[in-house]
Amino acid sequence: MSSLTIRRLIVWVVSMVLGFVVGWLIVTVGFPIIKPESAGITVEDFGTMYFLVMSVPIGLIFVTWLDMFFDTKILPE
């Protein structure tokens, strides 16, 4: 595998992990701050599909930024 392919894989994996972590933080920390009666909410309570629909686009935002920093050329200029 070329170095560019390895960098692209790293960008995708890191971005999706960051997207899921940020999504989890939004559900477990952010929602109770905004609406205190929702304290103790979990991803299962929120809904797995809703969590995926929220976390994957957040991960794509990270793909955009990491693509720029790692110069992987995933997105055309």
Side-chain angles (χ1 to χ4, degrees):
M1 289 165 79
S2 71
S3 128
L4 181 61
T5 304
I6 293 171
R7 284 190 314 208
R8 286 180 177 174
L9 285 173
I10 291 170
V11 165
W12 277 106
V13 169
V14 169
S15 297
M16 289 301 124
V17 167
L18 285 172
F20 284 112
V21 168
V22 169
W24 179 80
L25 286 172
I26 289 172
V27 170
T28 59
V29 176
F31 287 167
I33 289 173
I34 294 171
K35 192 173 180 184
E37 58 268 10
S38 68
I41 190 169
T42 64
V43 173
E44 290 81 20
D45 295 335
F46 182 64
T48 306
M49 190 55 97
Y50 291 125
F51 178 74
L52 290 174
V53 169
M54 177 183 67
S55 297
V56 170
I58 293 171
L60 291 175
I61 292 170
F62 283 114
V63 167
T64 304
W65 283 100
L66 290 177
D67 176 46
M68 181 184 72
F69 291 129
F70 282 110
D71 195 32
T72 57
K73 298 181 177 111
I74 294 172
L75 300 172
E77 292 187 31

